[in-house]
Amino acid sequence: MIWFVGAGPGAKDLITVRGQERLQKADIVIYTGSLVNPALLEHAPAACRVYNSAEMTLEEVIAVMRQGDADGQEIVRLHTGDPCLYGAVREQMDALEALGIAYAVCPGVSSFCGAAASLRAEYTLPGLTQSVIITRAAGMTAVPERERLSALAQHGATMILFLSAGLLETVKSELLQGAYTETTPCALVYKATWEDEKIVRGTLGRLPEMAQEHGIRKTALVLVGEFLDGAYELSRLYAPDFSTEYRKA
């Protein structure tokens, strides 16, 4: 059986209970060595075979899974954060389905959730922003033309960019073509929830300089929007003149 497990944003204790249990029962672990905290491997049995997928091709990953499954072993494919975001997980699932190999998914805490916790921020605030755009800048992996940053920026919503810390000049230029301005609040969260986490706050106009001054080139989320510093309205849910099925106005 193959388990795709979300490792969480980084901190060892932010993996889910289910994910930790799967690791404890694993005979084989294939982990994303470029991003997953290696301390999580301490949950696996001492006799467990461990593979670093950063050094492997897709075909090599599937070959390990195929042989392990044929041998009746429990296999954990450990992905950073939650596998559904930039995990290249669909291609692995499709390959397993083609081979008739059973698999299941254990969700994890995404780094964008860990970043909000570290920032003590709420992405959706009444009267300010009620939408969150999760995306990336076009780099080695292209993005559909309709999803270019300049197009998405027209909304002015809370924006979270993965895999874009090395493309900040492009990020700044494209976002300024939309509803954001030079003074729009932004933040860089390097290795959210890790012991060496680093948070840098500033404005969109200085985004590239912020990263350069603090030595941030990768493994960081870019967060842009008024949620970081804007004036918002109180929630109507808790207003004294608002009735719910649990409380009368």
Side-chain angles (χ1 to χ4, degrees), residues 53-86:
S53 66
E55 303 167 350
M56 304 166 72
T57 64
L58 172 62
E59 291 74 17
E60 289 170 336
V61 169
I62 298 301
V64 171
M65 291 179 175
R66 185 176 189 176
Q67 186 60 57
D69 182 73
D71 294 338
Q73 296 183 309
E74 289 291 313
I75 303 161
V76 168
R77 178 67 170 104
L78 192 62
H79 279 272
T80 183
D82 184 284
C84 76
L85 286 173
Y86 305 109

Side-chain angles (χ1 to χ4, degrees), residues 5 8 32 52 61 78 99 114 118 146 154 188 218 243 246:
V5 174
T32 308
N52 180 356
V61 169
L78 192 62
L99 293 168
S118 296
R146 65 183 180 276
Q154 305 304 316
L188 290 165
K218 60 180 181 178
S243 293
Y246 302 104

Side-chain angles (χ1 to χ4, degrees), residues 73-223:
Q73 296 183 309
E74 289 291 313
I75 303 161
V76 168
R77 178 67 170 104
L78 192 62
H79 279 272
T80 183
D82 184 284
C84 76
L85 286 173
Y86 305 109
V89 68
R90 175 64 184 272
E91 59 198 44
Q92 298 171 73
M93 293 176 179
D94 286 348
L96 293 176
E97 288 188 11
L99 293 168
I101 297 174
Y103 65 89
V105 181
C106 174
V109 179
S110 174
S111 58
F112 84 88
C113 299
S118 296
L119 287 165
R120 294 181 288 184
E122 181 178 352
Y123 291 137
T124 54
L125 293 168
L128 192 61
T129 178
Q130 290 291 286
S131 302
V132 180
I133 296 174
I134 297 173
T135 189
R136 61 174 295 170
M140 290 183 64
T141 299
V143 301
E145 184 63 28
R146 65 183 180 276
E147 294 182 20
R148 291 189 62 84
L149 292 184
S150 55
L152 297 177
Q154 305 304 316
H155 300 284
T158 294
M159 186 172 287
I160 300 165
L161 292 100
F162 282 70
L163 305 167
S164 303
L167 299 165
L168 296 184
E169 288 288 355
T170 297
V171 168
K172 172 185 171 181
S173 175
E174 292 206 32
L175 292 187
L176 288 176
Q177 296 176 46
Y180 308 103
T181 69
E182 294 267 349
T183 59
T184 298
C186 66
L188 290 165
V189 181
Y190 170 79
K191 296 180 74 171
T193 79
W194 290 61
E195 289 185 359
D196 55 345
E197 173 189 82
K198 189 182 297 183
I199 295 174
V200 182
R201 292 174 179 261
T203 59
L204 181 56
R206 293 201 71 252
L207 182 60
E209 290 78 14
M210 288 162 51
Q212 185 175 12
E213 290 166 3
H214 293 272
I216 297 174
R217 296 180 295 103
K218 60 180 181 178
T219 325
L221 289 178
V222 182
L223 304 105

